[in-house]
Every structure is written in structure tokens, then in C-alpha cells.
Amino acid sequence: MTPPQKTAAALATAVVILAAWHLFAPGKGLSPRIFPESAHISLLRHNPANNRASVQAPSPAKEPPTQPLNGIQQPALKGRLPQISPYLIDDSDALAPFFAALHSLELPPVAGPAQVVTILHYGDSPTTADLITGDVRALLQQRFGDAGVGFLLVAKPWAWYQHRNTDLTDHNWTISTAVGKGREEVYGIGGASFEGDPAAGTRITLKTPQSTLELAFLARPNSGSVAISANESPVATIPTTAADTPHPAWRSIPLPPATRTIDLKPEGAPVRLFGETLRTGHRGILYDSLGLNGASTTVLSNGFNASAWAAALQHERPALVIVNYGTNESSYPAFVDKQYEPVLRATIIRIRAALPATSILIMSPMDRGQRSGVDQIQTFDTIPRIVAIQRRVAADTHCAFFDTFNAMGGDGTMSRWYSGHPRLVAGDLIHPTPQGASLVAQLFVKDLSLGYARYLRRLADSPAIPSPVKRIQPRAAQPPIAPAPATQPNTPPPAAPGTPKPSADGEPVPSSPQPAPPSPPNPPTVQDPPNA
């Protein structure tokens, strides 16, 4: 090698070393931890016998309860449960009913309607845009079956609201959401309501075939009807009137084969709708992304009317409810330190009162970055405190816990994500890019698959576990709705002047026999920007 060649080689080596230092140094570039973590997504289709080495040593946490958990008698275990992973914590075996439902999807089908395992994922703006949740849905449906698109809001409360494999256009709805209200209102499972007269309408464009549509609405006296068309041809008219007090209601209709567009149109008097659920008619996973922009945990603790929300939860019969908040709370240190924990506990109490036999998982927020200098990005100091509170509450209330913050890299992750290539977070240092969202989804599903593998090993070793086939009973299909005669229109009240889509007041719903406990006060709410 000639001297000039040696000099060039030395310079090239120096450049590579400097680039690697910039890429992987603390606070710079991408953390090398995320690559082996994301590679483990291959465990989604695993052989449980090969995963024994992935299970950590027994957790030092407390012994699992000896009493039935969530109404299910657990098998007798020797010693403590093996830890699933450093990030998915389930020392109380709270996910056993959910894993039993998943296992039933891998057994030979039973007679009757196709079995559907429903997951409700409550969250803030990334969930609003179906980031992370869209990838989790695709991964789980790839293995366990595609039961459908799931729940959609009737219209877009925010321009960036979306749900994968659908397009939504709407006009002239009066929209109310549970964000920042400070009082209970009546919503469906999605935390929003849509008031419309015959001037309103919605078109849903489907990218994958669906066989049924279930409409969720408020049944009330003197309410109108909803005309539903598929591929621009009328298929049904659903009346939303009720002779008694207002209450949530649902009606399901079959869709013609090869349906690509669905139109919803109010007829007669105004109607109040909550959303629609689209299903394929096949057994598998229905993963509902229930995001509200700018939301905090208080939308669940004291934004939903307790009776109406309990009725909606019980109607959906989920196998798993995921509570995924914390980013918006992190802007308010005093609230985090004094009020956040009782708000989270009140939320879990509400869900468990409605769904005593359902698994609950608390999912921590991602890292959140803030600029502290010209080229310095650091983690909000409230994020680790929120994660610690969530982990403690999950242990105390027998919920599972997924530590998203540490799974994605912990302190300084958003700095590395923002300066890395490709960039994995938007310029606000909060919202992941599609690539970043996909990575978080893979980390989550990888740990769920490890937990499911632990369940299958225990199932083989503990025949006392009850048959999972009976855990989640599917709803029987409702008969088709015959077209209803047009309702004589009532004169709607004049629209209030002001900005488009004003908030609509909620309507009273009778209290349930077991009202939820008083909820802590609402914190200030951060209005998230659209995802980049």
C-alpha cells in the first residue's frame, strides 16, 4: 500500500469512528439496544419449547394471589411466577384470561358464531392516528385471525383522526368529546358523540372486505333514523327512537359482498351516534384503537358517564383493556405528584366494576423529549415518575404493566430517535413517525408473545387451568333490519352560531346500581399537535 493510500485509509477509519460515536453516543443517534429488541418480533410465531431461555429468573415481587383472579380459578403454582420480560410485568397473572382467549383461537373451532377476541386500547394522540395500534392489530391478526377493522368514530373530531384500512369523510356533524370537559357526558366506547340532522352525513371507504356493520347510538324519545347505503345502494334504515329514558343502543346489519363504500345519513329528527364496528365474520382478533387527541387518564376516571360507559364495555365483552396515557399528564408536575395516582386507581376501579372477568393492562407512555439547549434534548423528568406510579398501581390492583418507556430505550430515547437515521420521532419530540410507531408495536407484541408462551407452558404443566374456549363468548348475529318507512321530520332546533362543529351537551342516563366512586379533579389538558 502506497503512503497516499495509507493516509486515505487512516482518514476513512477516523471518519467511521466519529460517525459511529455520533450515532450511538449517549443522547445522540440511535441506541443499539433497540435493534436486537425489535429483531425478537420473530417470536410472534414461536415454538414455546424454544423460548425457555428467554424467560427471566423468578421475580422478587410478591407471591401471586391464592384467591380466584378476575373470576377465574388459577392453577396451583409452585413458587413465584417466572418474569415474562424486564418490560412486561404480570406477577399476579392478570393476563391469564386474555391468553386463554387467544389460545381458544388456536384450537379447532367450536360450533356456533365465529369466536372474536376483542381488545380495547385507550390512549391519546398516537392512538387517535392509529399509530402503534395499527401495527399491533396487524401483527396479532396475522397470527390469530382477522375478525375485522373494529370500531370507528362516526366523523373526524380532528383532521388527523384515522383508522388503518379505512378512509373517512364527513360533514355537518356537531361533535363532542370527553377531553377537557370536567364533567361526565354520554359517549360510546370511543369517548365521542355526533349529533346530526338530515344535513349531516358520513362516508366510510373500506380497503379490506367486511361483512357486518354495528351502529352504536343513543336511543331516546323523538329521535330520527339512520339510513345506511353500501356502494351507494340502500341496505337498511335503523331507527334510534326509544319510548323510555335515553340509553346506549346497538344494531347490526349485514353488508353486501364486495362492499367498498358505506354511507350513513340521518333522516327525520336529529340523531346522536357514537360509532360503528366493522367485522369480517371470521374468528380472530378485533383490536379497537380508542384514541382522543389531548387526552389524559381523567377522560376515563370522570369524563365518561359511568352507567353508559359500563354498558358499552359490557356490550363489547373485551378480553383485554389497555390503558395507555401519561404523555399529556407529564406537562404538570404537581398533578403527577399529587393527583395522578388516585386518578389512575379510580379508572381501574371503574373498568373492573364493569368487567370483573377481563384482563387489564396499564401501558406506560413513550419517552417525551424537551430541548434544553441549541443541540441538547433531554427527557421530561415527570415521565419516569409517571412510569413508577403506573407500575405500582398495576401491582396493587392486579393489572399487567408494559413499560414502553424503558422498552424503547429509556432516558434520552427521543434525543437518539430525533438525531438518528431514519428519524423515528417528529419535531415535537412526542409523536413517533410511522417507523418509530412500528418499532414500539413490535416491542409490545414481542413481549405479549413471551407472556403467551409462559401461559402455554403452564397450561401444559397445570391441567387445573379451565378450558379457555368458554372464556369469551361471541355475540350471536342479529337478524337483518328491514328498511323502515321514512320518519316524519321534526323541526330541529336552530343551530347555535359560532365555529363549526360546536360541542353538544350530554344527556342524562339513569345511574347503575353500582355507581363508580367519586373521581379526582380534572387536570389541565394539553392539546396535542397533529402527528408528523
Side-chain angles (χ1 to χ4, degrees):
M1 182 179 292
T2 63
Q5 290 174 327
K6 292 180 180 180
T7 302
L11 288 174
T13 302
V15 168
V16 170
I17 293 173
L18 288 173
W21 174 85
H22 178 79
L23 189 63
F24 295 115
K28 300 286 185 180
L30 299 177
S31 169
R33 292 172 54 192
I34 68 174
F35 297 106
E37 285 291 337
S38 63
H40 281 112
I41 191 60
S42 60
L43 291 173
L44 182 64
R45 291 185 177 275
H46 62 279
N47 180 349
N50 295 333
N51 288 332
R52 295 184 184 274
S54 301
V55 180
Q56 306 297 316
S59 169
K62 59 188 178 184
E63 295 279 353
T66 57
Q67 298 299 318
L69 176 65
N70 292 342
I72 297 175
Q73 182 64 51
Q74 301 301 306
L77 299 176
K78 296 180 179 180
R80 299 187 177 104
L81 286 171
Q83 183 175 329
I84 295 174
S85 83
Y87 313 117
L88 180 57
I89 313 301
D90 187 19
D91 295 331
S92 62
D93 212 20
L95 291 177
F98 170 60
F99 291 145
L102 290 184
H103 184 49
S104 70
L105 294 175
E106 296 192 309
L107 297 175
V110 296
Q115 185 181 6
V116 174
V117 174
T118 300
I119 301 170
L120 306 182
H121 188 131
Y122 282 97
D124 44 32
S125 50
T127 311
T128 302
D130 208 17
L131 291 171
I132 302 175
T133 50
D135 290 300
V136 173
R137 181 186 306 112
L139 291 168
L140 292 178
Q141 288 182 342
Q142 181 182 5
R143 173 170 183 177
F144 296 103
D146 180 358
V149 164
F151 182 83
L152 298 175
L153 295 177
V154 170
K156 291 187 173 187
W158 311 276
W160 50 92
Y161 172 80
Q162 61 183 350
H163 192 100
R164 191 168 297 182
N165 292 324
T166 66
D167 287 325
L168 193 66
T169 57
D170 62 88
H171 56 274
N172 296 336
W173 293 97
T174 298
I175 301 177
S176 175
T177 76
V179 178
K181 290 296 177 60
R183 66 180 186 275
E184 289 189 358
E185 290 188 11
V186 178
Y187 307 106
I189 60 167
S193 67
F194 304 85
E195 187 88 12
D197 59 22
T202 290
R203 167 161 287 191
I204 305 165
T205 302
L206 302 176
K207 300 178 183 179
T208 57
Q210 307 293 309
S211 66
T212 63
L213 178 146
E214 181 181 70
L215 185 68
F217 56 92
L218 184 70
R220 59 186 180 182
N222 303 316
S223 188
S225 299
V226 180
I228 301 178
S229 300
N231 296 336
E232 301 186 359
S233 297
V235 293
T237 298
I238 298 178
T240 68
T241 189
D244 53 3
T245 55
H247 59 273
W250 297 264
R251 294 298 297 272
S252 181
I253 64 167
L255 296 173
T259 295
R260 284 291 177 261
T261 63
I262 303 170
D263 291 291
L264 308 178
K265 183 74 172 174
E267 292 185 344
V271 299
R272 175 166 295 185
L273 309 182
F274 300 134
E276 56 280 336
T277 298
L278 293 159
R279 298 183 176 88
T280 61
H282 306 309
R283 71 195 305 233
I285 298 290
L286 202 68
Y287 198 105
D288 292 336
S289 55
L290 306 174
L292 293 173
N293 196 61
S296 65
T297 313
T298 53
V299 300
L300 302 186
S301 67
N302 60 333
F304 286 67
N305 176 278
S307 299
W309 189 36
L313 291 173
Q314 291 163 3
H315 176 80
E316 298 300 325
R317 299 180 185 175
L320 176 65
V321 177
I322 299 172
V323 179
N324 181 200
Y325 298 102
T327 298
N328 293 311
E329 290 93 327
S330 67
S331 295
Y332 304 97
F335 171 79
V336 170
D337 294 335
K338 298 178 181 179
Q339 295 177 272
Y340 177 64
E341 183 166 340
V343 164
L344 181 57
R345 290 180 183 274
T347 297
I348 301 304
I349 289 172
R350 276 190 161 197
I351 297 172
R352 185 149 286 149
L355 302 169
T358 296
S359 299
I360 302 173
L361 182 145
I362 299 174
M363 187 174 184
S364 89
M366 296 180 291
D367 185 30
R368 179 179 181 180
Q370 60 182 345
R371 290 176 171 83
S372 58
V374 176
D375 191 31
Q376 297 295 320
I377 297 173
Q378 62 185 22
T379 292
F380 263 61
D381 60 5
T382 48
I383 291 290
R385 306 209 300 267
I386 289 172
V387 172
I389 291 170
Q390 291 176 334
R391 182 165 181 161
R392 179 170 64 250
V393 171
D396 291 347
T397 58
H398 301 303
C399 297
F401 173 66
F402 182 70
D403 188 349
T404 316
F405 170 68
N406 281 298
M408 66 190 290
D411 188 82
T413 294
M414 288 311 185
S415 175
R416 296 187 292 272
W417 279 25
Y418 186 72
S419 57
H421 304 283
R423 185 168 286 174
L424 300 179
V425 67
D428 60 8
L429 307 177
I430 297 174
H431 297 91
T433 64
Q435 296 94 328
S438 177
L439 177 58
V440 173
Q442 291 177 49
L443 295 171
F444 180 49
V445 175
K446 182 264 296 185
D447 275 13
L448 281 180
S449 70
L450 289 176
Y452 182 52
R454 183 184 77 168
Y455 171 83
L456 293 178
R457 287 194 296 272
R458 294 172 56 238
L459 182 65
D461 296 339
S462 305
I465 296 182
S467 171
V469 177
K470 298 181 180 179
R471 292 313 317 148
I472 303 297
Q473 295 294 337
R475 289 189 296 273
Q478 296 184 6
I481 299 173
T487 307
Q488 291 297 325
N490 294 343
T491 304
T499 58
K501 296 182 177 179
S503 171
D505 291 335
E507 298 200 24
V509 169
S511 298
S512 62
Q514 298 178 333
S519 300
N522 241 355
T525 304
V526 177
Q527 187 71 8
D528 287 5
N531 289 282

